[in-house]
Amino acid sequence: MDLFLEEPLNLSAADGFGYLPANINQTLSGGRFTIVRKLGWGSRSSAWLAWEKKGGETLYWAIQVFTVAKSKEVGARLLPIFENEIARATYDYPKLVTGFWERSVYGDHLCFVTSAYGVPFSDVVQGAANSGRAGLPVHVVQYMTSEILETLEKLHSKKVMHAAGVKLENLWLGALTDEEDLQKYLAESPPAEVDIIDGIPIVRSQPLANYKVKWDDPMGDVSLWEVLLAGYGHIQVPPYTPKKGLSYASAPETLLANPTCGLATDIWMLGCLVFQLLTSNQLFTSAGTAAERLGEIRDVLQSSIPDAWLGDEVVQALPIANTSNPSLEQKLKQSKSLTEDEASEAYAFLRRCLVIDPAGRASVRDLDEDDWVEEGAQCACCYSGDKLWE
């Protein structure tokens, strides 16, 4: 039986890990921060809710603690982007509040301090599925799209590519982090009991669930949602290079024998995400070779391969067109959750994102001004009660 049900705290940097064996009430950064809750963990880090006293106030932050095995790489590659390009691009999330190094029995951990966040947006998607709905209401997806584009516009303005992060797993709800609200929530939902195994504290993840929304909220409420696009572990600045092991939602340029990626790759991933949110299905399902995946994309989009790619080995290995593959438009119209008009309007937007040649995709700024997106970008004052102004 595996004693470590979350991150493998018994494995060191030599094993490719070296997580911080942190505990509730442990202080970090020389006593500046005090841990009050574990928010989660991933393949390269764990995340913790911590407080600090500043000017008579108690401030709460999320602290991402990287494994010893990954800290040097993150410090060399990611930290400079956060401290330069992203710092100049935004005054809010994903702004890095500060960074510091923390020592444990495994070595030195790089730590990022950012705004705290709540539960994954996938909980909202699952709520719709549990109610028998395939996909989210169009107005919800329009709003989510406008929020994602707002973040991408900040990044792209400084030529920062979000890279493999524009996907459902990286959408999160915000959290109520003012002192009174959070202390009340923590009193009502205290940290789980900590087990000690071989001297190592085993702390269970408990995301902040004090900010909740419903999948069927009316637009007047949806327009007030606080949602975050996270997943900045693979961001890049020029020169952009596809990383092995990342799917990029099968963006065509990343499937070539001589793959490329760039800001337009983010746009492709956005298009795939929007389709998923609307229908609850993946647009492209092939798990075959690069040529087979590119062939499916060609068939679904009913588009030709760019002439400049015809000499590429993957393109030369493309299978014969499969006319039985439903097109993008057909897939949208087959969705039980979309009216014919809704499917047609969504199709027009998606065709600006899902272009095989990345040079033909719309920019973030152009998409932000798209009529379909602007419907979801209205502030709450633009709505009367639960209805749009007539």
Side-chain angles (χ1 to χ4, degrees), residues 142 349 352 366-376:
Q142 288 172 312
F349 171 77
R352 303 186 69 190
D366 289 340
L367 291 176
D368 201 34
E369 297 173 352
D370 187 276
D371 289 343
W372 189 81
V373 175
E374 287 190 333
E375 286 184 20

Side-chain angles (χ1 to χ4, degrees), residues 2-24 26 38 40-48 65-68 104-107 109 194-205:
D2 190 352
L3 299 178
F4 300 94
L5 299 180
E6 296 192 6
E7 68 268 46
L9 290 165
N10 58 325
L11 299 181
S12 69
D15 301 311
F17 298 98
Y19 286 90
L20 177 71
N23 202 348
I24 304 301
Q26 178 177 333
K38 182 180 178 184
W41 68 283
S43 62
R44 306 188 307 168
S45 64
S46 54
W48 305 82
V65 184
F66 291 93
T67 62
V68 173
S104 77
V105 294
Y106 294 125
H109 305 261
V194 177
D195 295 322
I196 305 296
I197 299 178
D198 295 333
I200 301 175
I202 310 301
V203 185
R204 182 164 62 87
S205 296

Side-chain angles (χ1 to χ4, degrees), residues 3 86 122 138 200 246 284 342 355 358 362 386:
L3 299 178
I86 290 183
S122 57
V138 171
I200 301 175
L246 300 181
F284 305 110
E342 288 173 338
V355 179
D386 295 346

Side-chain angles (χ1 to χ4, degrees), residues 310-351:
L310 297 181
D312 187 271
E313 294 177 11
V314 170
V315 174
Q316 292 179 348
L318 280 175
I320 297 173
N322 182 356
T323 56
S324 66
N325 270 339
S327 68
L328 169 61
E329 187 171 22
Q330 288 171 333
K331 285 173 179 275
L332 287 168
K333 290 186 175 180
Q334 289 169 1
S335 173
K336 297 179 180 179
S337 298
L338 297 173
T339 67
E340 185 168 348
D341 285 347
E342 288 173 338
S344 296
E345 291 167 0
Y347 173 75
F349 171 77
L350 289 174
R351 285 302 287 143

Side-chain angles (χ1 to χ4, degrees), residues 96-378:
L96 180 67
V97 176
T98 189
F100 62 91
W101 289 86
E102 189 73 22
R103 176 166 279 276
S104 77
V105 294
Y106 294 125
D108 293 324
H109 305 261
L110 179 61
C111 305
F112 283 0
V113 181
T114 64
S115 300
Y117 49 86
V119 297
F121 188 74
S122 57
D123 287 3
V124 181
V125 177
Q126 187 60 51
N130 292 343
S131 298
R133 183 183 174 93
L136 297 172
V138 171
H139 70 274
V140 171
V141 182
Q142 288 172 312
Y143 175 76
M144 294 299 297
T145 304
S146 71
E147 291 294 290
I148 295 169
L149 283 168
E150 182 179 345
T151 298
L152 289 180
E153 187 168 5
K154 294 174 184 176
L155 299 178
H156 287 195
S157 70
K158 301 301 178 184
K159 300 190 182 304
V160 177
M161 175 189 173
H162 198 294
V166 187
K167 54 187 178 181
L168 178 59
E169 300 95 295
N170 288 329
L171 293 178
W172 292 77
L173 293 176
L176 302 177
T177 57
D178 67 274
E179 183 175 357
E180 183 177 350
D181 284 338
L182 196 46
Q183 288 184 350
K184 180 182 178 181
Y185 172 75
L186 293 174
E188 295 172 347
S189 178
E193 184 176 346
V194 177
D195 295 322
I196 305 296
I197 299 178
D198 295 333
I200 301 175
I202 310 301
V203 185
R204 182 164 62 87
S205 296
Q206 294 175 278
L208 282 180
N210 65 344
Y211 177 81
K212 297 182 179 180
V213 303
K214 297 179 181 179
W215 68 268
D216 56 351
D217 278 346
M219 191 60 186
D221 292 340
V222 171
S223 65
L224 298 174
W225 284 6
E226 181 183 355
V227 292
L228 306 171
L229 175 62
Y232 291 85
H234 300 285
I235 55 175
Q236 294 188 41
V237 292
Y240 310 111
T241 305
K243 303 298 181 183
K244 290 184 179 180
L246 300 181
S247 74
Y248 299 98
S250 292
E253 63 272 21
T254 68
L255 298 176
L256 302 176
N258 296 301
T260 63
C261 65
L263 301 182
T265 308
D266 285 344
I267 302 301
W268 176 271
M269 295 191 71
L270 172 65
C272 292
L273 173 59
V274 169
F275 179 88
Q276 181 184 359
L277 293 177
L278 285 170
T279 67
S280 79
N281 295 318
Q282 298 291 335
L283 177 56
F284 305 110
T285 58
S286 174
T289 65
E292 289 168 340
R293 283 180 281 161
L294 185 56
E296 181 192 25
I297 291 168
R298 173 202 60 195
D299 297 342
V300 170
L301 298 183
Q302 297 184 333
S303 299
S304 59
I305 302 298
D307 291 343
W309 293 5
L310 297 181
D312 187 271
E313 294 177 11
V314 170
V315 174
Q316 292 179 348
L318 280 175
I320 297 173
N322 182 356
T323 56
S324 66
N325 270 339
S327 68
L328 169 61
E329 187 171 22
Q330 288 171 333
K331 285 173 179 275
L332 287 168
K333 290 186 175 180
Q334 289 169 1
S335 173
K336 297 179 180 179
S337 298
L338 297 173
T339 67
E340 185 168 348
D341 285 347
E342 288 173 338
S344 296
E345 291 167 0
Y347 173 75
F349 171 77
L350 289 174
R351 285 302 287 143
R352 303 186 69 190
C353 303
L354 299 171
V355 179
I356 291 180
D357 187 347
R361 293 172 205 154
S363 69
V364 166
R365 182 165 296 181
D366 289 340
L367 291 176
D368 201 34
E369 297 173 352
D370 187 276
D371 289 343
W372 189 81
V373 175
E374 287 190 333
E375 286 184 20
Q378 305 296 321

